[in-house]
């Protein structure tokens, strides 16, 4: 049995993240965490075309009638924040690490489509460094499921019930093995690009996405959480990869990514991709070709 929290429009993210953090001040962690059954919804959402254009510019997408699937993730993010801000959510957002993301574009979504958006939490399971759980999003156009996504988060030091059911958990692993080192059968020649990431990229992406986590905004705020400099949003990197693959993606597909190492700002990374009959494998690589992100598109 679930409860529904309905919004008339997307809520502002920053106040929700502040409230979510404040909820845990002085609170003793439970011996075993329990995820709430709340479903957060917005119905008949009208897309902000100015914000979409700015998002496309920051992430490298061209202007098209069909929106990028990562844009639909951005529309679920305020509802994720609302879920985290609930008094019964067991983890503070300040300690969460986004480890993996899976999304499926079931049908193209046009800029003029009105969207029904929802988010829920599920699949709490143990991890060597704490507990993992998923925030699951869905976007419908009318009664038709157009997009679904699953973001996996690690709560360091937390506990999940022993033998917890991880059904539905993302199949992406955080194995840092180089994904493009060996050629797959029938694989086409690789493509590669070099990206220079400016120091303010985190602030640019925060402005268009609403994700104002301080680890992304400046070196000063990132140092409060143990980073030498600000790090780029994982979902910017995910989006930039799909933008680099524009023209090579089918009309509908599933894309899986794992975030393996943070990218410090400013920075330089390379993008590599290889196509086969099964789809496209890709990675964002740093020094000595160590991956920051690995991913695959399945047709």
């Amino acid at each position: 049995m679930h409860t529904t929290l309905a919004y008339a429009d997307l809520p502002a993210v920053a106040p929700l993240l502040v409230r979510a953090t404040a909820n845990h001040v002085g609170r003793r962690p439970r011996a075993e965490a329990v995820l709430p059954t709340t479903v957060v919804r917005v119905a008949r959402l009208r897309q902000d075309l100015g914000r979409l254009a700015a998002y496309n510019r920051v992430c490298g997408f061209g202007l098209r009638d069909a929106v990028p699937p990562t844009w639909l993730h951005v529309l679920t993010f305020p509802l994720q924040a609302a879920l985290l801000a609930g008094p019964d959510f067991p983890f503070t957002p300040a300690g969460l690490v986004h480890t993996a993301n899976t999304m499926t574009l079931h049908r193209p979504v046009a800029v003029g489509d009105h969207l029904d958006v929802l988010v829920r939490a599920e699949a709490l399971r143990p991890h060597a460094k704490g507990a993992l759980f998923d925030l699951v999003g869905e976007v419908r156009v009318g009664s038709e499921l157009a997009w679904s996504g699953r973001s996996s988060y690690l709560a360091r030091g937390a506990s999940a019930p022993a033998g917890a059911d991880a059904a539905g958990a993302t199949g992406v692993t955080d194995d840092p093995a180089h994904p493009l080192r060996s050629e797959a059968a029938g694989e086409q020649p690789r493509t590669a690009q070099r990206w220079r990431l400016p120091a303010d990229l985190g602030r640019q992406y925060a402005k268009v996405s609403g994700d104002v986590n301080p680890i992304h905004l400046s070196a000063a705020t990132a140092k409060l959480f143990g980073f030498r400099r600000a790090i780029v949003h994982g979902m910017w990197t995910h989006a930039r990869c799909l933008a680099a693959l524009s023209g090579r993606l089918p009309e509908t597909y599933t894309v899986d990514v794992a975030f393996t190492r943070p990218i410090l700002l400013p920075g330089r990374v390379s993008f590599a991709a290889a196509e086969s009959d099964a789809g496209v494998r890709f990675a964002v690589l740093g020094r000595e070709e160590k991956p920051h992100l690995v991913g695959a598109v399945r047709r």
Side-chain angles (χ1 to χ4, degrees):
M1 188 72 179
H2 68 262
T3 58
T4 299
L5 176 60
Y7 285 87
D9 203 348
L10 295 178
V13 171
L16 288 171
L17 293 182
V18 170
R19 187 201 309 169
T21 301
N23 285 344
H24 293 266
V25 174
R27 183 197 292 184
R28 275 186 164 186
R30 298 180 183 178
E32 286 188 347
V34 177
L35 294 177
T37 58
T38 305
V39 176
V40 189
R41 295 179 179 269
V42 172
R44 298 288 295 168
L45 176 69
R46 186 188 298 272
Q47 299 177 73
D48 183 334
L49 301 189
R51 183 181 170 206
L52 171 59
Y55 173 85
N56 285 342
R57 183 173 60 252
V58 170
C59 297
F61 292 106
L63 296 178
R64 300 172 51 206
D65 183 58
V67 305
T70 49
W71 164 251
L72 300 173
H73 168 88
V74 165
L75 298 183
T76 68
F77 185 73
L79 304 188
Q80 290 191 14
L83 197 58
L84 294 173
D88 55 349
F89 204 86
F91 309 120
T92 173
L96 298 181
V97 180
H98 192 181
T99 62
N101 180 273
T102 294
M103 61 181 68
T104 299
L105 186 63
H106 300 278
R107 52 148 284 184
V109 174
V111 295
D113 285 338
H114 289 189
L115 309 176
D116 293 340
V117 185
L118 69 80
V119 166
R120 65 182 183 274
E122 63 181 39
L124 179 65
R125 66 266 192 200
H127 184 275
K129 296 180 180 179
L132 279 172
F133 67 95
D134 295 342
L135 295 184
V136 178
E138 296 179 0
V139 174
R140 284 179 165 80
V141 178
S143 61
E144 185 178 6
L145 180 64
W147 176 95
S148 55
R150 183 178 295 270
S151 295
S152 298
Y153 291 93
L154 169 65
R156 294 179 183 273
S159 297
D165 182 10
T170 177
V172 179
T173 72
D174 58 358
D175 180 359
H178 195 306
L180 303 177
R181 186 152 285 153
S182 61
E183 299 287 349
E187 197 166 74
Q188 301 300 312
R190 303 174 189 174
T191 58
Q193 301 175 9
R194 294 282 294 174
W195 300 341
R196 295 187 63 179
L197 312 184
D200 68 342
L201 182 55
R203 294 190 293 277
Q204 290 184 47
Y205 186 77
K207 186 175 181 179
V208 298
S209 70
D211 187 345
V212 292
N213 189 323
I215 64 176
H216 304 301
L217 304 183
S218 71
T221 55
K223 284 177 182 177
L224 297 175
F225 297 90
F227 295 97
R228 289 187 290 114
R229 304 197 301 271
I231 65 172
V232 75
H233 296 73
M235 289 306 298
W236 176 87
T237 313
H238 187 349
R240 184 67 186 86
C241 290
L242 293 187
L245 294 171
S246 293
R248 300 170 60 183
L249 299 174
E251 189 175 70
T252 61
Y253 56 90
T254 294
V255 56
D256 303 314
V257 302
F259 307 109
T260 59
R261 296 168 65 237
I263 301 174
L264 298 176
L265 296 173
R268 296 185 181 187
V269 294
S270 60
F271 169 79
E275 191 169 358
S276 70
D277 293 341
V280 182
R281 296 182 301 146
F282 58 90
V284 175
L285 308 170
R287 291 182 179 178
E288 300 177 354
E289 292 199 333
K290 292 181 178 179
H292 295 285
L293 174 150
V294 296
V297 173
R298 293 180 276 126
R299 301 184 187 280

